[in-house]
Amino acid sequence: MDLQKQTAPAAAAELRASDADRDRIADILREALAEGRLTAEEHSERVEGVLAAKTVGELEVFIKDLPAAHGPRPAASYGLIPSRPANLPTDPDDTAVAIFSSAVRKGRWRAGRRIHAYAIFGSVEIDLSEALFEYQQVVVKAVAVFGSVEVRVPENVSLRGTGGGVLGSFEVDTLDAEDAAAPVVYVDGWAVLGSIEARPRRGKLVTDILDRVHAKVEKSLRKHLNH
């Protein structure tokens, strides 16, 4: 039994690294840069190594001197999805307003951390099925008064809803992504004599999780070169 305990970490270190593993390490490095534990040059070098790493053990080397490496490691568990978003701005990154009209956000667009949707005698469609997720947590704040707000998400994200209806309907399909690094979309709102609905769009998947890591690398490199 002791031998099994000793060889288990080694066996885990030899596992092939996934995109989610690389994204997790990149997030730790980004936080270390923001906290001043790493210089911009050190951060850039380590993130480049993260993208080139092939095994879990090779990834762990880049954070072994950081506090996050010695704390509890998040597991890919549905129960770890926070019921409420944390550390999000109060001001929206994008606002869609429909008063006796309609407003649509869809296609290949960059989803901010906070999106506000107001439908007053109108309709708003927030389609995230092809969006670029630059943040893991996205909040859609929706208000429908004699109107409707419709939210669509990819199938492989997590989806949560908090709200209700006053002589109206509030319906959010709860989703649990298999990938712990997948985005989480929170839909908060109230429908007064109207409707708010959020559900997945079948056949649409987030495919840019690794692209987000590359974007972080490019941003860090540009920042370093400009110094």
Side-chain angles (χ1 to χ4, degrees):
M1 183 64 67
D2 292 338
L3 180 60
Q4 290 180 349
K5 290 182 179 179
Q6 292 175 3
T7 58
E14 294 173 358
L15 292 175
R16 299 284 293 189
S18 68
D19 293 346
D21 293 327
R22 295 187 183 88
D23 205 14
R24 177 178 65 86
I25 300 298
D27 285 340
I28 292 175
L29 294 176
R30 175 178 54 79
E31 292 175 4
L33 175 64
E35 294 171 353
R37 300 182 188 276
L38 296 176
T39 65
E41 182 176 0
E42 289 171 333
H43 176 262
S44 297
E45 291 176 352
R46 295 192 186 198
V47 174
E48 287 178 358
V50 166
L51 294 177
K54 290 182 171 38
T55 67
V56 173
E58 291 174 1
L59 286 176
E60 297 294 338
V61 170
F62 297 105
I63 61 169
K64 66 180 182 180
D65 59 345
L66 299 176
H70 305 285
R73 180 177 301 178
S77 171
Y78 300 146
L80 292 178
I81 298 174
S83 59
R84 301 292 303 161
N87 301 322
L88 293 184
T90 56
D91 296 329
D93 297 306
D94 193 4
T95 301
V97 180
I99 302 176
F100 289 99
S101 62
S102 62
V104 179
R105 297 288 188 276
K106 67 178 181 179
R108 197 67 170 166
W109 62 296
R110 296 184 181 277
R113 288 178 292 177
R114 192 176 188 90
I115 303 167
H116 286 187
Y118 302 97
I120 303 173
F121 289 95
S123 64
V124 175
E125 179 184 357
I126 305 295
D127 191 342
L128 298 167
S129 61
E130 297 181 359
L132 293 170
F133 286 87
E134 296 183 329
Y135 305 96
Q136 188 176 22
Q137 294 185 335
V138 174
V139 170
V140 179
K141 183 69 176 181
V143 175
V145 180
F146 287 96
S148 65
V149 175
E150 181 181 287
V151 180
R152 292 292 180 265
V153 302
E155 287 188 295
N156 60 339
V157 305
S158 293
L159 179 63
R160 295 290 186 272
T162 303
V166 179
L167 298 178
S169 64
F170 180 88
E171 300 181 7
V172 176
D173 291 351
T174 299
L175 295 178
D176 290 307
E178 294 182 3
D179 188 346
V184 183
V185 178
Y186 299 90
V187 178
D188 293 350
W190 283 92
V192 180
L193 292 167
S195 66
I196 297 173
E197 177 186 278
R199 61 185 55 181
R201 189 175 293 281
R202 299 304 177 189
K204 295 294 185 179
L205 303 174
V206 174
T207 59
D208 66 311
I209 292 179
L210 184 58
D211 291 342
R212 289 187 287 127
V213 179
H214 285 280
K216 292 173 186 177
V217 175
E218 292 175 358
K219 183 177 179 180
S220 299
L221 290 176
R222 286 196 300 271
K223 181 178 179 181
H224 175 62
L225 294 175
N226 289 333
H227 276 70

